[in-house]
Amino acid sequence: MYNFSTALAGIRAGEKLSREMVMALLAAEGRQVSALFKAADEVRRATVGDAVHLRAIIEFSNYCRQNCLYCGLRRDNCSLPRYRLTEAQILAAVAEAAELGFRTVVLQSGEDLYYSSLEIARLIEKIKSRHDLAITLSLGERCREDYRLWRQAGADRYLLKHETADADLFHYLKPDSRLSSRLQCASWLKELGYQTGMGNMVGLPGQNLETLATDVLLMRQMEVGMAGIGPFLPHPSTPLKDAAPGDLELSLRTLAVTRLALPYAHLPATTALRSLSPEGLRLALSCGANVIMLNLTPQSVRNKYLIYPQKADMIEKPEAALEKVKKLLAELGRPLARGYGHAVKTGGGNSGANHES
Ligand code: 5AD
Ligand code: SF4
Protein backbone atom coordinates (compact mmCIF):
# COMPACT_ATOMS: atom_id res chain seq x y z
CA MET A 1 0.00 0.00 0.00
CA TYR A 2 1.31 3.40 -0.96
CA ASN A 3 1.53 6.28 1.42
CA PHE A 4 1.23 9.81 0.10
CA SER A 5 4.95 10.71 0.07
CA THR A 6 6.03 7.52 -1.71
CA ALA A 7 3.27 8.00 -4.27
CA LEU A 8 4.24 11.63 -4.89
CA ALA A 9 7.92 10.77 -5.27
CA GLY A 10 6.98 7.85 -7.57
CA ILE A 11 4.76 9.78 -9.93
CA ARG A 12 7.29 12.61 -10.16
CA ALA A 13 10.01 10.10 -10.99
CA GLY A 14 7.88 8.78 -13.83
CA GLU A 15 7.16 5.39 -12.25
CA LYS A 16 4.44 3.31 -13.86
CA LEU A 17 1.18 4.42 -12.27
CA SER A 18 -0.87 2.00 -10.25
CA ARG A 19 -4.40 2.57 -8.98
CA GLU A 20 -3.11 2.47 -5.38
CA MET A 21 -0.57 5.17 -6.14
CA VAL A 22 -3.16 7.47 -7.71
CA MET A 23 -5.58 6.81 -4.84
CA ALA A 24 -2.92 7.70 -2.26
CA LEU A 25 -2.42 11.04 -4.03
CA LEU A 26 -6.14 11.74 -4.36
CA ALA A 27 -6.60 11.01 -0.65
CA ALA A 28 -4.13 13.76 0.36
CA GLU A 29 -5.15 15.61 3.51
CA GLY A 30 -3.81 18.42 5.66
CA ARG A 31 -0.27 19.41 4.69
CA GLN A 32 -0.20 16.76 1.98
CA VAL A 33 -2.72 18.83 0.02
CA SER A 34 -0.35 21.82 -0.19
CA ALA A 35 2.50 19.48 -1.17
CA LEU A 36 0.32 17.97 -3.93
CA PHE A 37 -0.73 21.37 -5.27
CA LYS A 38 2.86 22.63 -5.17
CA ALA A 39 4.09 19.59 -7.08
CA ALA A 40 1.36 20.00 -9.72
CA ASP A 41 2.21 23.68 -10.08
CA GLU A 42 5.92 22.90 -10.51
CA VAL A 43 5.22 20.22 -13.09
CA ARG A 44 2.87 22.55 -14.97
CA ARG A 45 5.55 25.26 -15.09
CA ALA A 46 8.24 22.82 -16.26
CA THR A 47 6.10 21.26 -19.01
CA VAL A 48 3.52 23.61 -20.51
CA GLY A 49 5.02 26.75 -18.94
CA ASP A 50 3.50 29.79 -17.27
CA ALA A 51 1.43 31.04 -20.20
CA VAL A 52 -2.33 30.60 -19.93
CA HIS A 53 -4.38 29.84 -23.04
CA LEU A 54 -7.75 31.47 -23.54
CA ARG A 55 -10.48 29.73 -25.51
CA ALA A 56 -13.73 31.31 -26.67
CA ILE A 57 -16.64 28.96 -26.25
CA ILE A 58 -19.75 29.32 -28.38
CA GLU A 59 -22.70 27.21 -27.26
CA PHE A 60 -24.72 27.17 -30.44
CA SER A 61 -27.58 24.81 -29.58
CA ASN A 62 -29.02 23.57 -26.29
CA TYR A 63 -31.09 20.81 -27.89
CA CYS A 64 -29.92 17.36 -26.86
CA ARG A 65 -31.00 13.87 -27.84
CA GLN A 66 -29.43 12.38 -24.71
CA ASN A 67 -30.98 12.19 -21.28
CA CYS A 68 -28.02 12.33 -18.88
CA LEU A 69 -29.29 12.24 -15.31
CA TYR A 70 -27.05 15.12 -14.20
CA CYS A 71 -27.49 17.62 -17.01
CA GLY A 72 -29.99 20.45 -17.42
CA LEU A 73 -29.96 20.05 -21.22
CA ARG A 74 -31.28 16.46 -20.99
CA ARG A 75 -34.11 15.85 -23.43
CA ASP A 76 -36.72 15.26 -20.71
CA ASN A 77 -36.15 18.69 -19.18
CA CYS A 78 -39.25 20.40 -20.59
CA SER A 79 -38.78 23.47 -18.40
CA LEU A 80 -35.77 24.60 -20.44
CA PRO A 81 -36.50 26.92 -23.39
CA ARG A 82 -34.49 25.57 -26.33
CA TYR A 83 -32.55 27.58 -28.92
CA ARG A 84 -30.43 27.06 -31.98
CA LEU A 85 -28.16 29.72 -33.41
CA THR A 86 -28.17 30.24 -37.16
CA GLU A 87 -24.95 29.92 -39.11
CA ALA A 88 -24.81 33.72 -39.38
CA GLN A 89 -25.15 34.10 -35.60
CA ILE A 90 -22.41 31.55 -35.00
CA LEU A 91 -20.12 33.26 -37.49
CA ALA A 92 -20.78 36.64 -35.83
CA ALA A 93 -19.78 35.20 -32.44
CA VAL A 94 -16.65 33.67 -34.01
CA ALA A 95 -15.75 37.04 -35.58
CA GLU A 96 -16.13 38.71 -32.19
CA ALA A 97 -13.81 36.11 -30.65
CA ALA A 98 -11.21 36.73 -33.36
CA GLU A 99 -11.44 40.50 -32.86
CA LEU A 100 -10.94 40.12 -29.13
CA GLY A 101 -7.70 38.24 -29.82
CA PHE A 102 -8.75 34.67 -29.08
CA ARG A 103 -6.78 32.04 -31.02
CA THR A 104 -9.23 29.18 -30.46
CA VAL A 105 -12.99 28.89 -30.73
CA VAL A 106 -14.76 25.98 -29.10
CA LEU A 107 -18.01 25.11 -30.85
CA GLN A 108 -20.19 23.29 -28.37
CA SER A 109 -23.79 22.05 -28.37
CA GLY A 110 -25.98 19.36 -26.94
CA GLU A 111 -26.18 16.27 -29.13
CA ASP A 112 -28.33 17.97 -31.74
CA LEU A 113 -28.72 16.34 -35.14
CA TYR A 114 -30.58 19.34 -36.59
CA TYR A 115 -27.41 20.68 -38.21
CA SER A 116 -26.30 18.11 -40.77
CA SER A 117 -22.70 16.88 -40.71
CA LEU A 118 -22.15 18.68 -44.00
CA GLU A 119 -23.48 21.95 -42.59
CA ILE A 120 -21.08 21.66 -39.67
CA ALA A 121 -18.23 20.89 -42.10
CA ARG A 122 -19.11 23.96 -44.16
CA LEU A 123 -19.19 26.09 -41.03
CA ILE A 124 -15.71 24.86 -40.07
CA GLU A 125 -14.41 25.66 -43.56
CA LYS A 126 -15.89 29.15 -43.45
CA ILE A 127 -14.35 29.89 -40.06
CA LYS A 128 -10.96 28.61 -41.25
CA SER A 129 -11.10 30.68 -44.44
CA ARG A 130 -12.06 33.88 -42.61
CA HIS A 131 -9.99 33.70 -39.45
CA ASP A 132 -6.66 32.59 -38.11
CA LEU A 133 -8.25 30.45 -35.42
CA ALA A 134 -7.90 26.93 -34.11
CA ILE A 135 -11.23 25.10 -33.88
CA THR A 136 -12.25 22.78 -31.08
CA LEU A 137 -15.47 20.82 -31.45
CA SER A 138 -17.55 19.53 -28.57
CA LEU A 139 -20.59 17.94 -30.16
CA GLY A 140 -20.77 14.59 -28.42
CA GLU A 141 -20.85 11.07 -29.78
CA ARG A 142 -21.06 10.77 -33.56
CA CYS A 143 -20.09 8.23 -36.20
CA ARG A 144 -16.51 7.98 -37.41
CA GLU A 145 -17.47 9.42 -40.79
CA ASP A 146 -18.75 12.67 -39.23
CA TYR A 147 -15.57 13.05 -37.23
CA ARG A 148 -13.54 12.41 -40.40
CA LEU A 149 -15.49 14.95 -42.39
CA TRP A 150 -15.05 17.66 -39.77
CA ARG A 151 -11.35 16.92 -39.36
CA GLN A 152 -10.94 17.16 -43.11
CA ALA A 153 -12.83 20.47 -43.04
CA GLY A 154 -10.19 21.83 -40.66
CA ALA A 155 -11.24 21.09 -37.07
CA ASP A 156 -8.16 20.79 -34.86
CA ARG A 157 -9.43 19.43 -31.57
CA TYR A 158 -12.36 17.57 -30.07
CA LEU A 159 -13.58 17.47 -26.49
CA LEU A 160 -15.44 14.35 -25.47
CA LYS A 161 -15.47 14.06 -21.71
CA HIS A 162 -15.84 10.48 -20.56
CA GLU A 163 -17.62 11.82 -17.42
CA THR A 164 -16.79 8.70 -15.36
CA ALA A 165 -14.58 5.70 -16.04
CA ASP A 166 -16.88 3.42 -14.03
CA ALA A 167 -18.85 1.59 -16.75
CA ASP A 168 -21.88 0.86 -14.53
CA LEU A 169 -22.07 4.39 -13.17
CA PHE A 170 -21.64 5.72 -16.71
CA HIS A 171 -24.59 3.69 -17.99
CA TYR A 172 -26.74 4.75 -15.03
CA LEU A 173 -25.93 8.43 -15.65
CA LYS A 174 -26.08 8.26 -19.46
CA PRO A 175 -28.82 5.69 -20.12
CA ASP A 176 -28.57 5.95 -23.94
CA SER A 177 -24.83 5.51 -24.08
CA ARG A 178 -22.13 3.08 -23.00
CA LEU A 179 -18.63 3.86 -21.76
CA SER A 180 -17.25 1.50 -24.41
CA SER A 181 -18.90 3.38 -27.29
CA ARG A 182 -17.74 6.72 -25.92
CA LEU A 183 -14.18 5.41 -25.68
CA GLN A 184 -14.50 4.08 -29.22
CA CYS A 185 -15.38 7.64 -30.30
CA ALA A 186 -12.35 8.99 -28.44
CA SER A 187 -10.09 6.46 -30.17
CA TRP A 188 -11.46 7.41 -33.59
CA LEU A 189 -10.81 11.07 -32.81
CA LYS A 190 -7.21 10.30 -31.95
CA GLU A 191 -6.75 8.14 -35.05
CA LEU A 192 -8.13 10.94 -37.20
CA GLY A 193 -5.49 13.31 -35.85
CA TYR A 194 -7.61 15.43 -33.55
CA GLN A 195 -6.02 16.72 -30.38
CA THR A 196 -8.40 14.89 -28.14
CA GLY A 197 -9.79 15.90 -24.78
CA MET A 198 -11.49 13.76 -22.18
CA GLY A 199 -12.44 14.51 -18.59
CA ASN A 200 -14.65 13.64 -15.69
CA MET A 201 -16.89 15.08 -13.05
CA VAL A 202 -15.94 14.89 -9.40
CA GLY A 203 -18.48 14.07 -6.67
CA LEU A 204 -20.98 12.13 -8.77
CA PRO A 205 -23.35 10.05 -6.67
CA GLY A 206 -21.88 6.57 -6.37
CA GLN A 207 -18.35 7.69 -7.18
CA ASN A 208 -15.41 7.05 -4.84
CA LEU A 209 -11.64 7.56 -4.80
CA GLU A 210 -11.10 4.31 -6.65
CA THR A 211 -13.42 5.43 -9.48
CA LEU A 212 -11.62 8.77 -9.61
CA ALA A 213 -8.26 7.02 -9.77
CA THR A 214 -9.61 4.99 -12.69
CA ASP A 215 -10.55 8.26 -14.43
CA VAL A 216 -6.98 9.52 -14.12
CA LEU A 217 -5.50 6.21 -15.29
CA LEU A 218 -7.87 6.05 -18.25
CA MET A 219 -6.92 9.52 -19.45
CA ARG A 220 -3.26 8.64 -19.06
CA GLN A 221 -3.73 5.40 -20.97
CA MET A 222 -5.52 7.31 -23.75
CA GLU A 223 -2.69 9.88 -23.74
CA VAL A 224 -5.18 12.70 -24.09
CA GLY A 225 -3.93 16.15 -25.03
CA MET A 226 -6.60 17.89 -22.93
CA ALA A 227 -8.54 16.97 -19.81
CA GLY A 228 -11.45 18.84 -18.23
CA ILE A 229 -12.03 18.12 -14.55
CA GLY A 230 -14.92 19.77 -12.73
CA PRO A 231 -17.23 19.19 -9.78
CA PHE A 232 -20.68 17.74 -10.28
CA LEU A 233 -23.28 20.43 -9.57
CA PRO A 234 -26.88 19.28 -9.03
CA HIS A 235 -29.46 20.85 -11.33
CA PRO A 236 -32.98 21.32 -9.88
CA SER A 237 -34.76 20.03 -13.01
CA THR A 238 -32.89 16.73 -13.19
CA PRO A 239 -33.28 13.38 -11.39
CA LEU A 240 -30.10 14.18 -9.41
CA LYS A 241 -31.50 17.41 -8.00
CA ASP A 242 -31.15 16.26 -4.38
CA ALA A 243 -27.62 14.89 -4.70
CA ALA A 244 -24.77 16.73 -2.96
CA PRO A 245 -22.48 18.86 -5.11
CA GLY A 246 -18.88 17.82 -5.70
CA ASP A 247 -16.33 19.02 -3.19
CA LEU A 248 -14.05 21.92 -4.18
CA GLU A 249 -10.90 20.52 -2.65
CA LEU A 250 -11.42 17.02 -4.03
CA SER A 251 -11.97 18.54 -7.49
CA LEU A 252 -8.70 20.47 -7.14
CA ARG A 253 -6.87 17.39 -5.88
CA THR A 254 -8.13 15.48 -8.91
CA LEU A 255 -6.95 18.28 -11.18
CA ALA A 256 -3.54 18.31 -9.50
CA VAL A 257 -3.14 14.52 -9.77
CA THR A 258 -4.19 14.70 -13.43
CA ARG A 259 -1.43 17.27 -14.02
CA LEU A 260 1.10 14.88 -12.45
CA ALA A 261 -0.21 11.95 -14.50
CA LEU A 262 -0.41 13.91 -17.77
CA PRO A 263 2.37 16.47 -17.43
CA TYR A 264 1.97 17.95 -20.91
CA ALA A 265 -1.82 18.06 -21.18
CA HIS A 266 -3.82 21.26 -21.50
CA LEU A 267 -6.00 21.42 -18.39
CA PRO A 268 -8.72 24.05 -18.13
CA ALA A 269 -9.89 25.74 -14.97
CA THR A 270 -13.37 24.47 -15.79
CA THR A 271 -16.48 26.62 -15.65
CA ALA A 272 -17.93 24.13 -13.13
CA LEU A 273 -14.99 24.78 -10.78
CA ARG A 274 -15.41 28.50 -11.24
CA SER A 275 -19.15 28.15 -10.57
CA LEU A 276 -18.61 26.23 -7.34
CA SER A 277 -16.36 28.91 -5.84
CA PRO A 278 -15.38 32.49 -6.69
CA GLU A 279 -11.81 31.37 -5.93
CA GLY A 280 -12.12 28.39 -8.31
CA LEU A 281 -10.23 30.03 -11.15
CA ARG A 282 -7.29 31.23 -9.07
CA LEU A 283 -7.04 27.92 -7.21
CA ALA A 284 -7.20 25.81 -10.36
CA LEU A 285 -4.48 27.90 -12.04
CA SER A 286 -2.33 27.31 -8.98
CA CYS A 287 -2.59 23.52 -8.96
CA GLY A 288 -2.13 22.46 -12.55
CA ALA A 289 -4.54 24.31 -14.86
CA ASN A 290 -3.23 26.32 -17.84
CA VAL A 291 -6.37 27.02 -19.89
CA ILE A 292 -9.39 29.29 -19.37
CA MET A 293 -12.54 29.15 -21.45
CA LEU A 294 -14.55 32.34 -21.78
CA ASN A 295 -18.13 32.37 -22.97
CA LEU A 296 -18.88 34.11 -26.26
CA THR A 297 -22.36 32.71 -26.69
CA PRO A 298 -24.67 35.64 -27.57
CA GLN A 299 -26.13 37.22 -24.42
CA SER A 300 -29.69 36.67 -25.65
CA VAL A 301 -29.46 32.87 -25.31
CA ARG A 302 -26.61 32.37 -22.91
CA ASN A 303 -28.76 31.77 -19.84
CA LYS A 304 -30.44 28.89 -21.68
CA TYR A 305 -27.28 26.77 -21.87
CA LEU A 306 -27.90 25.78 -18.32
CA ILE A 307 -26.16 22.44 -17.83
CA TYR A 308 -26.05 23.22 -14.09
CA PRO A 309 -27.30 26.17 -12.02
CA GLN A 310 -25.29 29.30 -11.14
CA LYS A 311 -23.01 28.83 -14.12
CA ALA A 312 -20.14 31.25 -13.58
CA ASP A 313 -20.12 32.86 -17.01
CA MET A 314 -23.80 33.76 -17.35
CA ILE A 315 -23.94 37.52 -17.42
CA GLU A 316 -20.53 38.89 -18.17
CA LYS A 317 -19.82 40.54 -21.47
CA PRO A 318 -16.73 39.06 -23.15
CA GLU A 319 -14.75 42.30 -22.79
CA ALA A 320 -15.46 42.49 -19.05
CA ALA A 321 -14.67 38.80 -18.55
CA LEU A 322 -11.39 39.24 -20.45
CA GLU A 323 -10.38 42.23 -18.35
CA LYS A 324 -11.05 40.33 -15.14
CA VAL A 325 -9.02 37.34 -16.33
CA LYS A 326 -6.14 39.57 -17.44
CA LYS A 327 -6.09 41.25 -14.02
CA LEU A 328 -6.01 37.90 -12.23
CA LEU A 329 -3.25 36.59 -14.50
CA ALA A 330 -1.20 39.71 -13.85
CA GLU A 331 -1.61 39.15 -10.10
CA LEU A 332 -0.51 35.55 -10.48
CA GLY A 333 2.42 36.51 -12.71
CA ARG A 334 1.09 34.34 -15.49
CA PRO A 335 1.30 35.72 -19.05
CA LEU A 336 -1.43 35.28 -21.64
CA ALA A 337 -0.38 32.78 -24.30
CA ARG A 338 -0.21 34.15 -27.82
CA GLY A 339 -0.12 30.93 -29.82
CA TYR A 340 -3.00 28.62 -30.71
CA GLY A 341 -2.34 26.46 -27.68
CA HIS A 342 -2.20 23.20 -29.54
CA ALA A 343 -1.57 20.03 -27.59
CA VAL A 344 2.07 19.44 -26.81
CA LYS A 345 3.79 16.10 -26.75
CA THR A 346 0.90 13.89 -25.48
CA GLY A 347 -1.02 11.86 -28.05
CA GLY A 348 -3.57 12.81 -30.64
CA GLY A 349 -2.48 14.97 -33.54
CA ASN A 350 0.37 17.16 -32.45
CA SER A 351 0.78 18.46 -35.94
CA GLY A 352 0.24 22.10 -35.03
CA ALA A 353 2.44 22.15 -31.95
CA ASN A 354 5.27 24.01 -33.64
CA HIS A 355 3.02 27.02 -34.26
CA GLU A 356 3.17 27.56 -30.54
CA SER A 357 4.64 30.78 -29.26
N1 5AD B 1 -22.48 19.36 -13.09
C1 5AD B 1 -21.23 19.51 -13.56
N2 5AD B 1 -20.90 19.35 -14.84
C2 5AD B 1 -21.88 19.04 -15.68
N3 5AD B 1 -21.87 18.80 -16.98
C3 5AD B 1 -23.12 18.52 -17.39
N4 5AD B 1 -23.96 18.55 -16.35
C4 5AD B 1 -23.21 18.87 -15.27
C5 5AD B 1 -23.49 19.04 -13.90
N5 5AD B 1 -24.73 18.90 -13.42
C6 5AD B 1 -20.64 18.84 -17.77
C7 5AD B 1 -20.34 17.47 -18.32
C8 5AD B 1 -20.48 17.64 -19.80
C9 5AD B 1 -20.36 19.13 -20.01
C10 5AD B 1 -21.15 19.61 -21.16
O1 5AD B 1 -20.83 19.71 -18.84
O2 5AD B 1 -19.00 17.11 -18.00
O3 5AD B 1 -19.48 17.00 -20.52
FE1 SF4 C 1 -26.69 16.23 -23.61
FE2 SF4 C 1 -24.12 16.47 -22.96
FE3 SF4 C 1 -26.04 17.28 -21.27
FE4 SF4 C 1 -25.69 14.69 -21.70
S1 SF4 C 1 -24.17 16.09 -20.76
S2 SF4 C 1 -27.67 15.76 -21.68
S3 SF4 C 1 -25.11 14.64 -23.86
S4 SF4 C 1 -25.57 18.15 -23.27
Side-chain angles (χ1 to χ4, degrees), residues 124-131:
I124 295 165
E125 280 165 7
K126 273 193 191 153
I127 294 173
K128 282 287 178 176
S129 69
R130 293 180 189 185
H131 305 285

Side-chain angles (χ1 to χ4, degrees), residues 66-70 111 141 161-163 169-178 182:
Q66 296 236 32
N67 216 17
C68 306
L69 265 61
Y70 49 81
E111 287 199 8
E141 292 172 42
K161 291 172 77 169
H162 67 283
E163 315 295 4
L169 183 58
F170 182 96
H171 184 43
Y172 163 71
L173 294 170
K174 293 176 81 74
D176 301 326
S177 179
R178 297 285 183 282
R182 202 155 176 97

Side-chain angles (χ1 to χ4, degrees), residues 128-180:
K128 282 287 178 176
S129 69
R130 293 180 189 185
H131 305 285
D132 182 20
L133 284 169
I135 298 181
T136 304
L137 299 177
S138 178
L139 311 179
E141 292 172 42
R142 303 290 288 242
C143 63
R144 192 181 193 281
E145 180 52 23
D146 288 353
Y147 292 149
R148 195 195 59 74
L149 191 69
W150 300 337
R151 175 80 185 121
Q152 197 182 26
D156 302 275
R157 314 186 190 120
Y158 203 104
L159 302 176
L160 189 72
K161 291 172 77 169
H162 67 283
E163 315 295 4
T164 175
D166 176 326
D168 294 333
L169 183 58
F170 182 96
H171 184 43
Y172 163 71
L173 294 170
K174 293 176 81 74
D176 301 326
S177 179
R178 297 285 183 282
L179 181 62
S180 54

Side-chain angles (χ1 to χ4, degrees), residues 25-73:
L25 293 168
L26 288 171
E29 51 185 20
R31 273 191 303 203
Q32 297 169 343
V33 177
S34 343
L36 175 67
F37 290 179
K38 185 163 168 280
D41 199 42
E42 284 168 9
V43 167
R44 187 269 309 147
R45 184 172 306 125
T47 52
V48 292
D50 275 336
V52 172
H53 298 277
L54 296 187
R55 323 289 200 202
I57 179 155
I58 301 166
E59 299 152 335
F60 65 88
S61 161
N62 71 350
Y63 281 82
C64 189
R65 63 175 165 170
Q66 296 236 32
N67 216 17
C68 306
L69 265 61
Y70 49 81
C71 178
L73 305 196

Side-chain angles (χ1 to χ4, degrees), residues 33-313:
V33 177
S34 343
L36 175 67
F37 290 179
K38 185 163 168 280
D41 199 42
E42 284 168 9
V43 167
R44 187 269 309 147
R45 184 172 306 125
T47 52
V48 292
D50 275 336
V52 172
H53 298 277
L54 296 187
R55 323 289 200 202
I57 179 155
I58 301 166
E59 299 152 335
F60 65 88
S61 161
N62 71 350
Y63 281 82
C64 189
R65 63 175 165 170
Q66 296 236 32
N67 216 17
C68 306
L69 265 61
Y70 49 81
C71 178
L73 305 196
R74 66 199 306 270
R75 66 167 186 266
D76 281 357
N77 182 10
C78 304
S79 62
L80 180 72
R82 304 283 171 164
Y83 72 89
R84 288 187 178 109
L85 298 185
T86 61
E87 189 193 68
Q89 287 173 310
I90 301 171
L91 287 169
V94 170
E96 188 183 1
E99 268 161 40
L100 287 169
F102 286 91
R103 306 300 304 277
T104 293
V105 283
V106 182
L107 302 178
Q108 188 173 71
S109 69
E111 287 199 8
D112 183 7
L113 298 184
Y114 172 84
Y115 308 85
S116 74
S117 319
L118 272 173
E119 279 171 328
I120 301 276
R122 254 180 260 129
L123 174 67
I124 295 165
E125 280 165 7
K126 273 193 191 153
I127 294 173
K128 282 287 178 176
S129 69
R130 293 180 189 185
H131 305 285
D132 182 20
L133 284 169
I135 298 181
T136 304
L137 299 177
S138 178
L139 311 179
E141 292 172 42
R142 303 290 288 242
C143 63
R144 192 181 193 281
E145 180 52 23
D146 288 353
Y147 292 149
R148 195 195 59 74
L149 191 69
W150 300 337
R151 175 80 185 121
Q152 197 182 26
D156 302 275
R157 314 186 190 120
Y158 203 104
L159 302 176
L160 189 72
K161 291 172 77 169
H162 67 283
E163 315 295 4
T164 175
D166 176 326
D168 294 333
L169 183 58
F170 182 96
H171 184 43
Y172 163 71
L173 294 170
K174 293 176 81 74
D176 301 326
S177 179
R178 297 285 183 282
L179 181 62
S180 54
S181 34
R182 202 155 176 97
L183 295 181
Q184 173 64 263
C185 289
S187 301
W188 286 334
L189 291 164
K190 282 192 67 179
E191 261 168 51
L192 290 164
Y194 283 94
Q195 298 160 45
T196 304
M198 289 172 50
N200 63 281
M201 282 177 277
V202 176
L204 289 165
Q207 191 185 48
N208 53 34
L209 279 195
E210 188 171 357
T211 329
L212 276 178
T214 314
D215 285 315
V216 176
L217 292 171
L218 174 65
M219 292 189 287
R220 160 115 159 185
Q221 186 199 331
M222 295 286 290
E223 298 185 301
V224 292
M226 304 170 286
I229 316 284
F232 157 70
L233 300 168
H235 186 299
S237 314
T238 64
L240 297 184
K241 61 178 187 297
D242 296 324
D247 176 70
L248 176 64
E249 195 199 270
L250 180 57
S251 304
L252 293 167
R253 279 186 269 143
T254 311
L255 170 65
V257 175
T258 305
R259 168 57 70 203
L260 297 175
L262 287 163
Y264 288 90
H266 283 305
L267 305 182
T270 53
T271 311
L273 254 175
R274 288 155 55 201
S275 307
L276 185 62
S277 158
E279 283 300 295
L281 178 56
R282 180 195 300 270
L283 292 168
L285 288 173
S286 310
C287 67
N290 71 323
V291 174
I292 303 175
M293 293 192 183
L294 293 183
N295 199 324
L296 267 87
T297 308
Q299 298 283 337
S300 55
V301 295
R302 203 187 285 179
N303 62 352
K304 299 190 180 77
Y305 204 85
L306 212 54
I307 41 189
Y308 44 77
Q310 271 96 49
K311 207 161 150 244
D313 56 10

Side-chain angles (χ1 to χ4, degrees), residues 337-349:
R338 286 182 317 215
Y340 297 109
H342 284 309
V344 251
K345 210 155 171 180
T346 36

